[in-house]
Amino acid sequence: MASRIIGLLVEATGRTGILHQVTGVIAAHQGDITSVDILSNWPAEDRTYYEVVLPTDPDELVADLRKLSIVTRVELVQTMGQIYGKRIVIMGGGAQVGQVAIGAVSEADRHNIRGEYISVDTIPLVGEQKLAAAVRAVPRLPRVKLLVMAGSLMGGDIAAAVREVRAHGLLVISLNMAGSVPKEADLVVSDPVQAGVMAVMAVADTARFNIARLKGKSF
């Protein structure tokens, strides 16, 4: 049986050891856990979402999980990738973020109609340290493929953060702005709406656009 990625929603009761017991059953089925999200925890009922690469029958795994005395419910669900797909994050000044989002959402709609799954997240932030911390946190978010830096002035520690996340393989598009952030980005775009459009095109499988051919260029 070929391996496939599955989503598991597990509800359980107890104070400690829930993850240990559940993951032990998953490991016994040679499951490779790629994502864990604790949705709620003690004192309420524990609800945890897992994404697992599984080489065996998922029904057998579900049956064994239900045998655990702490487990009250197990449900096979679609993965976040199947539902929400690739993510693009836009951060910076509110006005610029909003304009980039217009382009990104419009372009994502065009590709999603054709079978893609691309979602767009935004966060308006002010301040060097807040923005730098937010940039460094992006690789910890699941499914993020590209970051858009949208503002009028960004540099210093923000630029250092952009350089760090690019080293981890994250694509970064920057608006053409004052400061050193544009020098660290894969691509610099002057028009914010167009930046949003190009961000989606860069990650979409249904687009013929290779950002690697444009690295270091400005538009």
PDB file of all heavy atoms in Angstrom, residues 10-19 38-48 70:
ATOM      1  N   VAL A  10      -8.416  13.720  17.103  1.00  0.00           N
ATOM      2  CA  VAL A  10      -8.519  12.811  18.246  1.00  0.00           C
ATOM      3  C   VAL A  10      -9.022  13.584  19.460  1.00  0.00           C
ATOM      4  O   VAL A  10      -8.439  14.604  19.836  1.00  0.00           O
ATOM      5  CB  VAL A  10      -7.154  12.160  18.566  1.00  0.00           C
ATOM      6  CG1 VAL A  10      -7.291  11.215  19.763  1.00  0.00           C
ATOM      7  CG2 VAL A  10      -6.627  11.399  17.353  1.00  0.00           C
ATOM      8  N   GLU A  11     -10.092  13.088  20.069  1.00  0.00           N
ATOM      9  CA  GLU A  11     -10.603  13.661  21.305  1.00  0.00           C
ATOM     10  C   GLU A  11     -10.338  12.674  22.430  1.00  0.00           C
ATOM     11  O   GLU A  11     -10.574  11.465  22.287  1.00  0.00           O
ATOM     12  CB  GLU A  11     -12.103  13.950  21.182  1.00  0.00           C
ATOM     13  CG  GLU A  11     -12.420  14.995  20.116  1.00  0.00           C
ATOM     14  CD  GLU A  11     -13.906  15.286  20.003  1.00  0.00           C
ATOM     15  OE1 GLU A  11     -14.688  14.712  20.802  1.00  0.00           O
ATOM     16  OE2 GLU A  11     -14.285  16.086  19.120  1.00  0.00           O
ATOM     17  N   ALA A  12      -9.826  13.193  23.544  1.00  0.00           N
ATOM     18  CA  ALA A  12      -9.444  12.322  24.644  1.00  0.00           C
ATOM     19  C   ALA A  12      -9.656  13.035  25.971  1.00  0.00           C
ATOM     20  O   ALA A  12      -9.866  14.250  26.023  1.00  0.00           O
ATOM     21  CB  ALA A  12      -7.985  11.888  24.497  1.00  0.00           C
ATOM     22  N   THR A  13      -9.584  12.272  27.054  1.00  0.00           N
ATOM     23  CA  THR A  13      -9.700  12.833  28.397  1.00  0.00           C
ATOM     24  C   THR A  13      -8.477  12.444  29.209  1.00  0.00           C
ATOM     25  O   THR A  13      -7.865  11.407  28.974  1.00  0.00           O
ATOM     26  CB  THR A  13     -10.961  12.321  29.110  1.00  0.00           C
ATOM     27  OG1 THR A  13     -10.933  10.885  29.144  1.00  0.00           O
ATOM     28  CG2 THR A  13     -12.221  12.783  28.401  1.00  0.00           C
ATOM     29  N   GLY A  14      -8.131  13.277  30.163  1.00  0.00           N
ATOM     30  CA  GLY A  14      -6.964  13.016  30.990  1.00  0.00           C
ATOM     31  C   GLY A  14      -6.109  14.248  31.123  1.00  0.00           C
ATOM     32  O   GLY A  14      -6.269  15.221  30.383  1.00  0.00           O
ATOM     33  N   ARG A  15      -5.190  14.227  32.063  1.00  0.00           N
ATOM     34  CA  ARG A  15      -4.375  15.412  32.323  1.00  0.00           C
ATOM     35  C   ARG A  15      -3.012  15.342  31.635  1.00  0.00           C
ATOM     36  O   ARG A  15      -2.547  16.310  31.079  1.00  0.00           O
ATOM     37  CB  ARG A  15      -4.179  15.586  33.831  1.00  0.00           C
ATOM     38  CG  ARG A  15      -5.468  15.876  34.578  1.00  0.00           C
ATOM     39  CD  ARG A  15      -5.180  16.306  35.992  1.00  0.00           C
ATOM     40  NE  ARG A  15      -6.393  16.628  36.729  1.00  0.00           N
ATOM     41  CZ  ARG A  15      -6.413  17.145  37.950  1.00  0.00           C
ATOM     42  NH1 ARG A  15      -5.275  17.387  38.580  1.00  0.00           N
ATOM     43  NH2 ARG A  15      -7.551  17.408  38.560  1.00  0.00           N
ATOM     44  N   THR A  16      -2.363  14.209  31.743  1.00  0.00           N
ATOM     45  CA  THR A  16      -1.019  14.084  31.176  1.00  0.00           C
ATOM     46  C   THR A  16      -0.914  12.772  30.399  1.00  0.00           C
ATOM     47  O   THR A  16      -1.666  11.823  30.632  1.00  0.00           O
ATOM     48  CB  THR A  16       0.064  14.100  32.279  1.00  0.00           C
ATOM     49  OG1 THR A  16      -0.185  13.010  33.189  1.00  0.00           O
ATOM     50  CG2 THR A  16       0.058  15.417  33.031  1.00  0.00           C
ATOM     51  N   GLY A  17       0.045  12.742  29.464  1.00  0.00           N
ATOM     52  CA  GLY A  17       0.336  11.508  28.755  1.00  0.00           C
ATOM     53  C   GLY A  17      -0.524  11.217  27.546  1.00  0.00           C
ATOM     54  O   GLY A  17      -0.369  10.161  26.925  1.00  0.00           O
ATOM     55  N   ILE A  18      -1.423  12.135  27.189  1.00  0.00           N
ATOM     56  CA  ILE A  18      -2.302  11.875  26.044  1.00  0.00           C
ATOM     57  C   ILE A  18      -1.490  11.791  24.757  1.00  0.00           C
ATOM     58  O   ILE A  18      -1.625  10.837  23.976  1.00  0.00           O
ATOM     59  CB  ILE A  18      -3.396  12.959  25.942  1.00  0.00           C
ATOM     60  CG1 ILE A  18      -4.366  12.835  27.116  1.00  0.00           C
ATOM     61  CG2 ILE A  18      -4.155  12.830  24.621  1.00  0.00           C
ATOM     62  CD1 ILE A  18      -5.418  13.925  27.171  1.00  0.00           C
ATOM     63  N   LEU A  19      -0.636  12.788  24.531  1.00  0.00           N
ATOM     64  CA  LEU A  19       0.181  12.769  23.315  1.00  0.00           C
ATOM     65  C   LEU A  19       1.058  11.527  23.262  1.00  0.00           C
ATOM     66  O   LEU A  19       1.236  10.913  22.210  1.00  0.00           O
ATOM     67  CB  LEU A  19       1.047  14.031  23.242  1.00  0.00           C
ATOM     68  CG  LEU A  19       0.381  15.322  22.775  1.00  0.00           C
ATOM     69  CD1 LEU A  19       1.360  16.479  22.884  1.00  0.00           C
ATOM     70  CD2 LEU A  19      -0.109  15.197  21.345  1.00  0.00           C
ATOM     71  N   ILE A  38      -2.662  21.215  18.947  1.00  0.00           N
ATOM     72  CA  ILE A  38      -3.520  21.005  20.110  1.00  0.00           C
ATOM     73  C   ILE A  38      -4.624  22.056  20.059  1.00  0.00           C
ATOM     74  O   ILE A  38      -4.391  23.243  20.267  1.00  0.00           O
ATOM     75  CB  ILE A  38      -2.719  21.100  21.413  1.00  0.00           C
ATOM     76  CG1 ILE A  38      -1.649  20.008  21.454  1.00  0.00           C
ATOM     77  CG2 ILE A  38      -3.652  20.973  22.624  1.00  0.00           C
ATOM     78  CD1 ILE A  38      -0.713  20.097  22.644  1.00  0.00           C
ATOM     79  N   LEU A  39      -5.843  21.621  19.787  1.00  0.00           N
ATOM     80  CA  LEU A  39      -6.969  22.530  19.610  1.00  0.00           C
ATOM     81  C   LEU A  39      -7.579  22.949  20.939  1.00  0.00           C
ATOM     82  O   LEU A  39      -8.054  24.077  21.081  1.00  0.00           O
ATOM     83  CB  LEU A  39      -8.035  21.875  18.726  1.00  0.00           C
ATOM     84  CG  LEU A  39      -7.536  21.350  17.372  1.00  0.00           C
ATOM     85  CD1 LEU A  39      -8.665  20.662  16.624  1.00  0.00           C
ATOM     86  CD2 LEU A  39      -6.954  22.483  16.540  1.00  0.00           C
ATOM     87  N   SER A  40      -7.596  22.046  21.896  1.00  0.00           N
ATOM     88  CA  SER A  40      -8.041  22.370  23.248  1.00  0.00           C
ATOM     89  C   SER A  40      -7.376  21.396  24.204  1.00  0.00           C
ATOM     90  O   SER A  40      -6.977  20.295  23.818  1.00  0.00           O
ATOM     91  CB  SER A  40      -9.570  22.297  23.366  1.00  0.00           C
ATOM     92  OG  SER A  40     -10.035  20.990  23.095  1.00  0.00           O
ATOM     93  N   ASN A  41      -7.269  21.805  25.470  1.00  0.00           N
ATOM     94  CA  ASN A  41      -6.519  20.994  26.424  1.00  0.00           C
ATOM     95  C   ASN A  41      -7.206  21.043  27.779  1.00  0.00           C
ATOM     96  O   ASN A  41      -8.134  21.796  27.998  1.00  0.00           O
ATOM     97  CB  ASN A  41      -5.071  21.494  26.508  1.00  0.00           C
ATOM     98  CG  ASN A  41      -4.128  20.439  27.059  1.00  0.00           C
ATOM     99  OD1 ASN A  41      -4.546  19.341  27.416  1.00  0.00           O
ATOM    100  ND2 ASN A  41      -2.858  20.762  27.134  1.00  0.00           N
ATOM    101  N   TRP A  42      -6.694  20.240  28.713  1.00  0.00           N
ATOM    102  CA  TRP A  42      -7.234  20.165  30.066  1.00  0.00           C
ATOM    103  C   TRP A  42      -7.355  21.562  30.656  1.00  0.00           C
ATOM    104  O   TRP A  42      -6.508  22.405  30.391  1.00  0.00           O
ATOM    105  CB  TRP A  42      -6.273  19.310  30.904  1.00  0.00           C
ATOM    106  CG  TRP A  42      -6.742  19.060  32.298  1.00  0.00           C
ATOM    107  CD1 TRP A  42      -7.569  18.055  32.705  1.00  0.00           C
ATOM    108  CD2 TRP A  42      -6.422  19.810  33.456  1.00  0.00           C
ATOM    109  NE1 TRP A  42      -7.785  18.128  34.040  1.00  0.00           N
ATOM    110  CE2 TRP A  42      -7.088  19.214  34.541  1.00  0.00           C
ATOM    111  CE3 TRP A  42      -5.653  20.947  33.702  1.00  0.00           C
ATOM    112  CZ2 TRP A  42      -7.001  19.689  35.840  1.00  0.00           C
ATOM    113  CZ3 TRP A  42      -5.563  21.437  34.986  1.00  0.00           C
ATOM    114  CH2 TRP A  42      -6.229  20.814  36.046  1.00  0.00           C
ATOM    115  N   PRO A  43      -8.446  21.879  31.428  1.00  0.00           N
ATOM    116  CA  PRO A  43      -9.386  20.939  32.037  1.00  0.00           C
ATOM    117  C   PRO A  43     -10.520  20.491  31.119  1.00  0.00           C
ATOM    118  O   PRO A  43     -11.284  19.610  31.478  1.00  0.00           O
ATOM    119  CB  PRO A  43      -9.936  21.728  33.224  1.00  0.00           C
ATOM    120  CG  PRO A  43      -9.887  23.142  32.776  1.00  0.00           C
ATOM    121  CD  PRO A  43      -8.643  23.254  31.932  1.00  0.00           C
ATOM    122  N   ALA A  44     -10.674  21.146  29.971  1.00  0.00           N
ATOM    123  CA  ALA A  44     -11.687  20.664  29.024  1.00  0.00           C
ATOM    124  C   ALA A  44     -11.164  19.412  28.333  1.00  0.00           C
ATOM    125  O   ALA A  44     -10.012  19.015  28.484  1.00  0.00           O
ATOM    126  CB  ALA A  44     -11.984  21.753  27.996  1.00  0.00           C
ATOM    127  N   GLU A  45     -12.016  18.776  27.559  1.00  0.00           N
ATOM    128  CA  GLU A  45     -11.600  17.594  26.813  1.00  0.00           C
ATOM    129  C   GLU A  45     -10.494  17.955  25.828  1.00  0.00           C
ATOM    130  O   GLU A  45     -10.533  18.995  25.185  1.00  0.00           O
ATOM    131  CB  GLU A  45     -12.797  17.008  26.062  1.00  0.00           C
ATOM    132  CG  GLU A  45     -12.480  15.699  25.363  1.00  0.00           C
ATOM    133  CD  GLU A  45     -13.705  15.087  24.722  1.00  0.00           C
ATOM    134  OE1 GLU A  45     -14.364  15.800  23.933  1.00  0.00           O
ATOM    135  OE2 GLU A  45     -14.009  13.921  25.001  1.00  0.00           O
ATOM    136  N   ASP A  46      -9.500  17.092  25.745  1.00  0.00           N
ATOM    137  CA  ASP A  46      -8.370  17.331  24.854  1.00  0.00           C
ATOM    138  C   ASP A  46      -8.771  17.022  23.411  1.00  0.00           C
ATOM    139  O   ASP A  46      -9.285  15.945  23.115  1.00  0.00           O
ATOM    140  CB  ASP A  46      -7.191  16.436  25.277  1.00  0.00           C
ATOM    141  CG  ASP A  46      -5.949  16.677  24.447  1.00  0.00           C
ATOM    142  OD1 ASP A  46      -5.848  16.112  23.336  1.00  0.00           O
ATOM    143  OD2 ASP A  46      -5.083  17.433  24.907  1.00  0.00           O
ATOM    144  N   ARG A  47      -8.547  17.991  22.516  1.00  0.00           N
ATOM    145  CA  ARG A  47      -8.792  17.798  21.086  1.00  0.00           C
ATOM    146  C   ARG A  47      -7.505  18.111  20.345  1.00  0.00           C
ATOM    147  O   ARG A  47      -6.975  19.222  20.444  1.00  0.00           O
ATOM    148  CB  ARG A  47      -9.921  18.703  20.576  1.00  0.00           C
ATOM    149  CG  ARG A  47     -11.272  18.402  21.193  1.00  0.00           C
ATOM    150  CD  ARG A  47     -12.357  19.369  20.725  1.00  0.00           C
ATOM    151  NE  ARG A  47     -12.647  19.206  19.302  1.00  0.00           N
ATOM    152  CZ  ARG A  47     -12.388  20.120  18.374  1.00  0.00           C
ATOM    153  NH1 ARG A  47     -11.799  21.268  18.698  1.00  0.00           N
ATOM    154  NH2 ARG A  47     -12.699  19.905  17.116  1.00  0.00           N
ATOM    155  N   THR A  48      -6.980  17.130  19.621  1.00  0.00           N
ATOM    156  CA  THR A  48      -5.699  17.283  18.943  1.00  0.00           C
ATOM    157  C   THR A  48      -5.828  16.836  17.500  1.00  0.00           C
ATOM    158  O   THR A  48      -6.446  15.805  17.204  1.00  0.00           O
ATOM    159  CB  THR A  48      -4.598  16.447  19.635  1.00  0.00           C
ATOM    160  OG1 THR A  48      -4.603  16.722  21.039  1.00  0.00           O
ATOM    161  CG2 THR A  48      -3.229  16.789  19.069  1.00  0.00           C
ATOM    162  N   ILE A  70      -8.245   6.410  27.075  1.00  0.00           N
ATOM    163  CA  ILE A  70      -8.360   7.862  27.184  1.00  0.00           C
ATOM    164  C   ILE A  70      -9.097   8.473  26.001  1.00  0.00           C
ATOM    165  O   ILE A  70      -9.561   9.613  26.070  1.00  0.00           O
ATOM    166  CB  ILE A  70      -6.964   8.515  27.294  1.00  0.00           C
ATOM    167  CG1 ILE A  70      -6.124   8.160  26.058  1.00  0.00           C
ATOM    168  CG2 ILE A  70      -6.270   8.121  28.580  1.00  0.00           C
ATOM    169  CD1 ILE A  70      -4.861   8.971  25.926  1.00  0.00           C
TER     170      ILE A  70
END
